[in-house]
Amino acid sequence: MQLNTGTYQRVLGDELRRLRKQRGWTRRDLNRRLQSDISLQTLATYELGTRQCSVVRLVEICLALNEVPHELLARVHQRVFSESPVGRIRIDLRGIVRDDQPSLLPLRRWAKGRLTEMNGHQPTEVSLDIAALERMAELCGIETVELIARLRRISAPVPHADDD
């Protein structure tokens, strides 16, 4: 198993941002709850995954968010290493096109375009990295974690009537 530090940092940042937003807090709100003096820009770089966060700083942020640090890291580890090689998720473009969730319209348009380009000459499954997933989540107006959960549900194998 290999560690892609950039992917790990981005997923950790996404989890921190998700926790903060779940509480309805701004970065300033979180900053006020921290013991040490951290700039808002530093908090932003942690959430974007563009700056490494020390273990002590991560624990401080988790305590301010009332989150158990090892549970946060377990979720990050799950997202980075489960089911897909190094922070990637496989999706079936046909399943995306068939889905009718209004918030996934930008993703559906992209999937239709990819299928048209492939013209039936390539497998309809594609592998997306965390950076692509983050951009797609932003276009759809949802959190990356939520997009991944939806994609996993959409791309789950559907039993066919003739599979008896």
Side-chain angles (χ1 to χ4, degrees), residues 11-25 47 65 67 71-72 75-76 79 142-147:
V11 173
L12 176 61
D14 186 61
E15 286 291 328
L16 290 171
R17 181 174 51 254
R18 185 183 62 75
L19 287 168
R20 177 180 57 75
K21 287 184 172 184
Q22 255 181 0
R23 285 151 181 77
W25 297 353
E47 288 185 358
L65 290 164
E67 178 71 16
E71 290 176 4
L72 169 71
R75 283 194 309 277
V76 171
R79 283 180 59 192
I142 59 177
E143 294 292 323
T144 307
V145 174
E146 178 62 22
L147 177 63

Side-chain angles (χ1 to χ4, degrees), residues 56-132:
V56 173
R57 180 67 48 90
L58 179 62
V59 170
E60 180 184 358
I61 293 170
C62 285
L63 292 174
L65 290 164
N66 199 29
E67 178 71 16
V68 180
H70 73 268
E71 290 176 4
L72 169 71
L73 289 174
R75 283 194 309 277
V76 171
H77 187 83
Q78 174 74 18
R79 283 180 59 192
V80 172
F81 292 108
S82 72
E83 297 178 22
S84 300
V86 192
R88 298 182 78 83
I89 184 171
R90 294 197 63 76
I91 61 169
D92 181 359
L93 295 172
R94 294 172 302 182
I96 302 299
V97 170
R98 284 191 301 265
D99 185 74
D100 61 357
Q101 298 174 64
S103 61
L104 297 186
L105 179 61
L107 184 58
R108 220 171 8 266
R109 288 179 178 153
W110 170 81
K112 283 179 186 176
R114 286 292 305 267
L115 286 171
T116 301
E117 289 172 16
M118 293 172 166
N119 200 20
H121 299 296
Q122 296 173 321
T124 60
E125 260 194 16
V126 296
S127 179
L128 300 174
D129 66 14
I130 192 69

Side-chain angles (χ1 to χ4, degrees), residues 7 10 87 128-136:
T7 298
R10 281 191 299 277
L128 300 174
D129 66 14
I130 192 69
L133 292 165
E134 288 171 340
R135 285 190 294 277
M136 287 180 180

Side-chain angles (χ1 to χ4, degrees), residues 39-51:
S39 74
L40 295 177
Q41 183 171 347
T42 297
L43 280 176
T45 59
Y46 291 155
E47 288 185 358
L48 293 170
T50 57
R51 175 184 249 168

